[in-house]
């Protein structure tokens, strides 16, 4: 890295700190981030480490080796800006697998001290068998367990154990309201009943079709509704769903096979960025950070994502403006009840 580039990078970091600090009166000193060993999760940890008041960042990861590598990288970045925070930031590793409910419960017990914020970032398209029913995980489908159910267990456990003091961020997706340009259909909800949402949880809603994009869209739809209900379930906390947008440099296709990974990395995201409809991990993570710090704009119980029907980057807007389902409290509470009926 050239001296000029490094200087510009450091200056950008200082500017970011000033902007962040000016936007909030909240004192955020500790955070837990799932899926923190790479991509948006790791970048979110880096950006939050720039906050002068930040003291502790817990990296929630499935793989200890990858978690340790990320920890070393982030510690190096923290030391490089030691003049902005003389105390530095302590990075901790917390091993948890969001597709394994017992792993999540064990991680909650292992977390020694409370955190101010949890960023529920981990997820994905569910691998090669997204519709596989996990009988040992309450009967959730594989894709639903990894994207929603594991985080429900995490959030409930943290709050009930007194280990979350302020804000929960859930990684939403534009697919939740339909994204035709990318092949994600608008969720086809008929009644919004508990029974209907239960069928999405276990995959029976999709009958013989196991199209990953259809399942992912409906899964993220239910996840966004759940956060709306959680804001009333836990009124003392801020509960916000935020999409990181179409973000290159993530591991979202890590379990989809080498062909899919190759297409996504070398063809899809470069084309989307060329067309101005995708961004890098810096902007994806910034959306999380903005939601954490800007308490005036980002309201508890709401879902924020890109501000146009086929947009996946740029500004964000409350998704009720694009799909009013997200504001229906009966849908929200029924989705929450459906999820908990499996737990």
């Amino acid at each position: 890295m050239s001296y000029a580039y490094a200087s510009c990078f450091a200056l950008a970091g200082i500017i970011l700190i000033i902007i962040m600090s000016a936007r909030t009166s909240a004192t955020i000193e500790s955070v837990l981030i799932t899926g923190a060993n790479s991509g948006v999760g790791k970048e979110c940890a880096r950006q939050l480490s720039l906050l002068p008041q930040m003291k502790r960042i817990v990296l929630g990861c499935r793989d200890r080796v990858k978690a340790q590598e990320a920890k070393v990288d982030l510690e190096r970045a923290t030391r490089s800006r030691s003049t902005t925070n003389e105390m530095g930031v302590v990075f901790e590793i917390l091993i948890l697998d969001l597709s394994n409910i017992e792993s999540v419960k064990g991680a909650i017990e292992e977390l020694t001290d409370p955190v101010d914020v949890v960023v529920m970032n981990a997820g994905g398209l569910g691998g090669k068998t997204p519709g596989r029913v996990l009988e040992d995980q309450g009967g959730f489908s594989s894709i639903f367990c990894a994207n929603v159910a594991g985080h429900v267990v995490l959030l409930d456990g943290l709050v009930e154990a007194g280990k979350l003091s302020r804000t929960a961020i859930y990684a939403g997706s534009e697919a939740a309201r339909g994204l035709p340009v990318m092949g994600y259909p608008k969720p086809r909800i008929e009644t919004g009943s508990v029974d209907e949402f239960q069928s999405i949880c276990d995959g029976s809603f999709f009958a013989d079709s196991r199209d990953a994009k259809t399942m992912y869209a409906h899964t993220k739809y239910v996840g966004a509704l759940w956060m709306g209900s959680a804001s009333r379930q836990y009124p003392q906390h801020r509960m916000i769903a935020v999409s990181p947008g179409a973000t290159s440099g993530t591991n979202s296709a890590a379990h989809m096979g080498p062909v899919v990974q190759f297409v996504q990395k070398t063809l899809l995201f470069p084309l989307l960025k060329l067309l101005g409809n995708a961004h890098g991990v810096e902007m994806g993570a910034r959306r999380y950070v903005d939601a954490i710090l800007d308490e005036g704009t980002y309201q508890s119980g709401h879902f924020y994502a890109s501000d146009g029907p086929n947009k996946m980057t740029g500004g964000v807007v409350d998704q009720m403006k694009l799909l009013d389902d997200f504001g229906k409290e009966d849908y929200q509470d029924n989705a929450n009840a459906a999820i908990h009926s499996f737990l």
Side-chain angles (χ1 to χ4, degrees):
M1 182 184 292
S2 70
Y3 175 78
Y5 183 83
S7 298
C8 290
F9 190 80
L11 179 59
I14 293 171
I15 293 172
L16 178 64
I17 292 170
I18 295 171
I19 293 172
M20 288 176 175
S21 300
R23 272 189 311 202
T24 181
S25 58
T27 300
I28 306 298
E29 297 183 343
S30 58
V31 60
L32 164 62
I33 305 169
T34 68
N37 63 281
S38 64
V40 178
K42 181 180 178 183
E43 173 61 18
C44 181
R46 188 194 70 80
Q47 291 188 20
L48 288 172
S49 76
L50 297 173
L51 293 173
Q53 71 269 27
M54 185 59 64
K55 295 180 179 178
R56 172 171 164 255
I57 297 178
V58 183
L59 308 175
C61 309
R62 288 185 302 176
D63 185 287
R64 187 173 295 278
V65 173
K66 293 180 179 179
Q68 184 61 38
E69 292 173 350
K71 180 175 181 286
V72 170
D73 287 346
L74 289 164
E75 286 174 339
R76 185 180 300 117
T78 301
R79 285 196 299 270
S80 72
R81 56 92 188 174
S82 59
T83 55
T84 65
N85 185 344
E86 294 180 358
M87 298 300 294
V89 175
V90 174
F91 292 94
E92 300 176 9
I93 292 173
L94 184 68
I95 300 301
L96 78 167
D97 181 352
L98 273 302
S99 64
N100 186 307
I101 291 172
E102 290 305 313
S103 171
V104 176
K105 291 180 178 179
I108 295 168
E109 291 185 7
E110 187 178 337
L111 187 69
T112 54
D113 297 310
V115 292
D116 296 319
V117 177
V118 60
V119 179
M120 299 178 286
N121 165 70
L125 289 173
K128 297 179 180 179
T129 56
R132 180 168 59 94
V133 176
L134 304 177
E135 298 293 353
D136 60 343
Q137 303 300 323
F140 292 108
S141 69
S142 175
I143 192 170
F144 197 92
C145 196
N147 283 279
V148 181
H151 281 129
V152 172
V153 173
L154 177 63
L155 179 60
D156 287 349
L158 289 174
V159 174
E160 291 167 9
K163 293 183 177 182
L164 178 66
S165 65
R166 195 175 190 92
T167 299
I169 302 294
Y170 171 70
S173 171
E174 284 79 3
R177 37 96 163 150
L179 197 58
V181 70
M182 293 295 291
Y184 292 95
K186 178 180 177 181
R188 49 181 181 85
I189 304 301
E190 295 182 0
T191 65
S193 66
V194 172
D195 287 346
E196 188 170 27
F197 289 130
Q198 285 174 328
S199 70
I200 295 175
C201 293
D202 66 14
S204 61
F205 179 91
F206 308 100
D208 296 329
S209 172
R210 285 295 184 266
D211 175 67
K213 288 188 174 181
T214 300
M215 298 185 73
Y216 183 77
H218 286 76
T219 293
K220 284 297 189 179
Y221 172 89
V222 174
L225 292 174
W226 158 62
M227 284 297 280
S229 180
S231 70
R232 294 185 295 280
Q233 182 181 359
Y234 304 120
Q236 70 274 32
H237 295 79
R238 296 174 67 233
M239 302 284 168
I240 304 166
V242 184
S243 171
T247 306
S248 61
T250 71
N251 288 331
S252 60
H255 302 287
M256 298 299 290
V259 174
V260 174
Q261 292 181 52
F262 175 82
V263 170
Q264 177 169 300
K265 183 177 181 179
T266 64
L267 298 175
L268 178 60
F269 275 107
L271 178 60
L272 287 173
K273 291 183 77 172
L274 183 64
L275 296 174
N277 210 9
H279 50 236
V281 292
E282 298 84 3
M283 289 305 300
R286 183 74 63 81
R287 287 186 174 193
Y288 292 160
V289 174
D290 285 346
I292 292 169
L293 297 179
D294 191 348
E295 298 186 354
T297 299
Y298 294 86
Q299 299 298 305
S300 185
H302 292 244
F303 168 35
Y304 298 89
S306 301
D307 57 7
N310 275 314
K311 288 188 65 177
M312 298 175 286
T313 189
V316 299
V317 69
D318 190 331
Q319 294 298 285
M320 282 192 292
K321 296 182 179 180
L322 299 177
L323 183 62
D324 61 7
D325 286 11
F326 295 122
K328 296 179 179 178
E329 292 191 1
D330 56 337
Y331 276 32
Q332 295 172 354
D333 291 339
N334 286 344
N336 196 0
I339 298 166
H340 282 91
S341 70
F342 290 83
L343 297 173

